[in-house]
Amino acid sequence: MGRIIAIANQKGGVGKTTTAINLSASLAALGKKVLVIDTDPQGNTTSGFGVDKNNLENTIYELILGECSVQDCMIKNVVEGVSILPSNVNLAAAEIELIGVDRKDFILKNEIDYIRDSFDFILIDCPPSLNTLTINAMTAANTVLVPIQCEYYALEGLSQLIHTINLIKERLNPDLDIDGVVFTMYDSRTNLSTQVVENVKSHLNQHVYETMIPRNIRLAEAPSYGQPINLYDPKSAGAESYMALAKEVIDRKL
């Protein structure tokens, strides 16, 4: 049965999408069968795999509204071993469309249950807010992976995210756990990055992944070429870090 990981943090710009794209591609490179679900209306994970998000007949939006099946929506092998349920700006309307819908927080879970056994890992890229889409992702997931940028305000909002996760665990998904925290945009040359890491470790009673994702220009360039970093520049520090993180994720026993 596939392990479902929601990648979430309500702060924007912390590396959620970068992690969704590159962790999934690295897991696939290690022989795992992976599905990525893009639940962010910006659709950056979709375009990061080279998919033209603006010319899609079926996306996660149509899936959530019951207008297509998972198989209709899925784009297989966007890179070898990785399939995707894509997203685009239409998804922004989902919040309104789902008002009054019965058991709306379980829509994504019910759809994923049909295909869960076909994948080793299912990664869900969440939007940078705690809305219906994020709740759907967390209701469907086994665990939540939290990317944290190495910056001064790293801890801001994190307690709110943990509170939300605990609420969802209490009311919607009793099996939900925090997978762990992964540090992104780490710069070993600055004292600030080191201080942030120590600060988070001392304040958070959570698993922290040993692998830290560095600030890396090649990582920033890769999405504009529609490729994950392990294809765009496999020898870059970013590619090596995501490969190391993928190995940690595989070995993590919850």
Side-chain angles (χ1 to χ4, degrees):
M1 189 179 280
R3 188 166 137 203
I4 305 172
I5 303 173
I7 299 172
N9 189 331
Q10 76 268 37
K11 264 174 76 71
V14 298
K16 283 188 301 293
T17 296
T18 302
T19 297
I21 293 168
N22 295 305
L23 177 57
S24 58
S26 298
L27 287 166
L30 292 167
K32 301 299 179 184
K33 201 170 177 200
V34 185
L35 174 68
V36 182
I37 303 175
D38 190 352
T39 64
D40 188 341
Q42 293 176 86
N44 291 340
T45 295
T46 301
S47 54
F49 278 111
V51 175
D52 182 357
K53 63 187 175 190
N54 299 316
N55 287 309
L56 293 168
E57 190 175 340
N58 292 313
T59 67
I60 191 112
Y61 173 66
E62 283 77 18
L63 179 68
I64 284 173
L65 295 186
E67 294 173 4
C68 73
S69 70
V70 173
Q71 296 298 344
D72 292 337
C73 173
M74 191 185 299
I75 303 171
K76 294 181 177 171
N77 289 317
V78 280
V79 300
E80 191 176 346
V82 180
S83 299
I84 188 169
L85 299 183
S87 161
N88 59 24
V89 72
N90 293 344
L91 188 59
E95 191 91 6
I96 297 157
E97 302 252 15
L98 291 172
I99 290 172
V101 172
D102 192 35
R103 288 176 64 80
K104 64 181 178 181
D105 297 328
F106 293 90
I107 293 172
L108 191 59
K109 179 189 188 311
N110 294 338
E111 295 294 342
I112 292 174
D113 280 348
Y114 288 115
I115 53 164
R116 185 172 179 174
D117 291 344
S118 304
F119 297 93
D120 298 306
F121 286 91
I122 298 174
L123 303 188
I124 309 174
D125 183 25
C126 296
S129 57
L130 299 174
N131 60 15
T132 299
L133 295 166
T134 306
I135 292 167
N136 257 272
M138 290 188 187
T139 304
N142 305 121
T143 58
V144 182
L145 179 67
V146 185
I148 296 180
Q149 187 177 352
C150 288
E151 57 155 46
Y152 184 68
Y153 294 112
L155 280 167
E156 200 171 85
L158 207 57
S159 57
Q160 178 61 46
L161 178 68
I162 290 167
H163 176 63
T164 302
I165 292 167
N166 288 334
L167 274 179
I168 290 169
K169 185 179 174 79
E170 191 181 303
R171 298 178 185 178
L172 299 168
N173 181 4
D175 299 326
L176 187 67
D177 285 309
I178 295 180
D179 190 291
V181 167
V182 60
F183 288 103
T184 61
M185 302 172 209
Y186 180 76
D187 189 342
S188 58
R189 297 167 301 177
T190 65
N191 287 332
L192 178 62
S193 280
T194 311
Q195 285 166 5
V196 168
V197 170
E198 291 311 313
N199 196 12
V200 171
K201 282 181 176 175
S202 62
H203 282 82
L204 267 191
N205 186 25
Q206 302 294 343
H207 172 74
V208 176
Y209 278 100
E210 283 181 31
T211 303
M212 297 185 199
I213 309 303
R215 280 197 181 277
N216 182 244
I217 191 70
R218 307 299 274 170
L219 262 181
E221 289 171 358
S224 62
Y225 292 87
Q227 290 184 319
I229 190 65
N230 64 334
L231 296 182
Y232 178 65
D233 188 350
K235 290 190 166 57
S236 66
E240 288 172 358
S241 297
Y242 273 110
M243 195 61 77
L245 179 63
K247 288 173 183 169
E248 272 197 81
V249 168
I250 290 169
D251 291 340
R252 177 125 165 79
K253 300 286 184 280
L254 289 155

